[in-house]
Amino acid sequence: MKRKIVLWSIVVVFAVLPIIIAFNLKEELQRLSSFFWSLFLIPNIVIMIMYPKWKVIIGTALFFSVLKYVTHFIEEDSFNRIETVALILESFVDGAILFTVSYFVLRHNKLVKYMEKLIIVDSLTGLYNRRYFDLYMEKTIPFHQRINSPLILIMVDIDHFKKINDNYGHLCGDEALKHISDMIKRNVRTSDAYVRFGGEEFAIMLPNTDLGEGQRFAERLRKAVNQSDFTHYNEHIPISISLGVSLYKGENVEGFIEKADKALYKAKENGRNQVVIFSY
C-alpha cells in the first residue's frame, strides 16, 4: 500500500510540474521547454511499472501527449508552426523511448512469470510441485488455525509403480503419472489444492473438509482410478492407488505430513488399493 501511494505521488507531481513550468517559463528559457515536457516520461514509466499492460501503456502515452498539446496551445498566444513541429517531433522521440522501455519491461515480466512457474510447477504432469505445497501449507495452516476450520491432507501413491516401469518402460510410467494427475484434476473441487509430491506420490489438500468428507472423497478417487481405462500402445494396464488421510489437529507441517504418510504406509501394508484414515 505504501509503495502505491509513493508511486502515485510521483505520477501526480511529474504530471503537474511540466504544466506549471510551461505557464511560468521565462522567454529566455523557452529553448529548455523540450526538457521540461520530457518530464512527462516519468509518470508514463511509473504507471507502466504499476500496470504493465500494453493497453494501459498506450492509453497513458496518448493521455499525456494530448495534455502536452492542450497546455502548449493554451499557453501560446499565437500559432507558431516551427514550435508545433518541434513539439510533435519531441513526442515521437519520447514515444520511441517509452515504447522501447515498455517492451523490455514487459518482456522481463513475462520471463519472471515463466521462471516462477518453472519453480512451482511439475513439468511432466503440469501439477504444482513440492515447492508449491510448502508455500501453500505455510499460508493455509495459520489461516485454518485462526478461523478454526477443518483441513484434510491426503497422500496418494500409485500401486506397483516400479513394476509398471520395469514391465512397460519409463515412458509408460510417465503416462501413468499423467493419468493419475488427470484423475485427480477431474475429482477435486476448485477450492482444493493438489501437487505432485515427488516420485509417484501426490498430495491433496481439502480445506473446510471434515474427516468423513475427506474419507468419502478419497474413496471416490480410489474407485475412479481403479475403474479408469489406462492404456499404453493400445494395451490396457491395470492401475490403482493407495491413499492415506489425516485431519489437521494443531501439529506443525512435518507432523501433519507424517500422519498422512503413516496412513498411506498402512494402506500399502494392508494390500494396497485402499483408503486408510490416520488414527492415534
Side-chain angles (χ1 to χ4, degrees):
M1 188 64 182
K2 275 186 177 181
R3 181 175 178 267
K4 274 203 169 183
I5 293 172
V6 170
L7 291 176
W8 274 113
S9 299
I10 293 171
V11 170
V12 171
V13 168
F14 284 97
V16 173
L17 188 60
I19 298 172
I20 294 173
I21 293 171
F23 281 107
N24 294 279
L25 199 62
K26 293 180 179 179
E27 193 171 333
E28 59 268 23
L29 295 176
Q30 284 293 328
R31 56 189 169 183
L32 296 175
S33 62
S34 298
F35 166 74
F36 295 125
W37 285 124
S38 67
L39 292 175
F40 271 160
L41 277 173
I42 295 173
N44 272 283
I45 291 171
V46 171
I47 291 173
M48 173 192 64
I49 291 169
M50 289 192 290
Y51 308 101
K53 294 179 181 177
W54 277 117
K55 284 183 180 179
V56 176
I57 293 166
I58 293 169
T60 305
L62 288 173
F63 170 78
F64 280 104
S65 293
V66 170
L67 186 60
K68 178 167 70 172
Y69 294 135
V70 169
T71 305
H72 174 74
F73 288 121
I74 291 173
E75 185 262 339
E76 288 292 324
D77 295 329
S78 58
F79 179 77
N80 187 314
R81 188 174 178 181
I82 295 175
E83 284 187 7
T84 302
V85 171
L87 197 67
I88 293 171
L89 291 175
E90 288 165 18
S91 296
F92 277 113
V93 173
D94 290 346
I97 294 169
L98 177 64
F99 286 111
T100 301
V101 172
S102 300
Y103 170 78
F104 286 107
V105 167
L106 292 179
R107 190 171 178 181
H108 172 264
N109 288 347
K110 190 175 181 181
L111 182 61
V112 168
K113 285 181 181 178
Y114 177 70
M115 293 303 293
E116 286 174 348
K117 187 178 178 182
L118 286 181
I119 291 169
I120 62 171
V121 174
D122 175 56
S123 59
L124 177 64
T125 62
L127 300 188
Y128 287 118
N129 59 20
R130 175 64 188 271
R131 171 66 178 157
Y132 175 83
F133 174 87
D134 292 337
L135 294 171
Y136 178 88
M137 284 300 192
E138 191 179 299
K139 293 181 179 179
T140 300
I141 284 184
F143 174 74
H144 281 271
Q145 283 177 325
R146 194 161 57 249
I147 64 173
N148 195 28
S149 175
L151 175 65
I152 291 290
L153 172 61
I154 302 174
M155 297 300 294
V156 182
D157 188 86
I158 302 176
D159 295 331
H160 304 294
F161 183 71
K162 188 176 183 304
K163 284 186 179 179
I164 293 175
N165 275 331
D166 292 344
N167 295 338
Y168 301 99
H170 286 86
L171 286 178
C172 182
D174 289 347
E175 291 303 316
L177 290 167
K178 292 177 185 177
H179 178 74
I180 298 302
S181 301
D182 188 51
M183 296 302 298
I184 291 172
K185 287 179 189 176
R186 290 184 199 176
N187 284 274
V188 295
R189 304 165 300 187
T190 53
S191 59
D192 300 332
Y194 45 94
V195 305
R196 183 184 175 193
F197 198 73
E200 67 271 26
E201 281 193 350
F202 300 83
I204 304 171
M205 291 73 75
L206 309 178
N208 305 313
T209 305
D210 61 31
L211 201 53
E213 290 174 317
Q215 183 177 11
R216 286 191 290 274
F217 168 84
E219 187 59 34
R220 187 168 66 249
L221 178 61
R222 184 196 67 80
K223 286 180 179 178
V225 170
N226 203 38
Q227 295 167 5
S228 65
D229 183 27
F230 175 56
T231 58
H232 183 65
Y233 291 126
N234 297 321
E235 181 181 354
H236 176 77
I237 300 170
I239 191 167
S240 64
I241 55 175
S242 298
L243 305 95
V245 182
S246 69
L247 174 67
Y248 180 69
K249 288 192 175 180
E251 58 276 308
N252 57 26
V253 175
E254 290 75 16
F256 193 23
I257 297 170
E258 187 180 359
K259 290 197 312 184
D261 270 338
K262 284 181 178 178
L264 174 61
Y265 296 149
K266 190 71 175 174
K268 295 174 84 68
E269 283 177 6
N270 290 348
R272 296 182 170 84
N273 192 20
Q274 59 187 275
V275 175
V276 170
I277 308 298
F278 175 82
S279 58
Y280 291 94

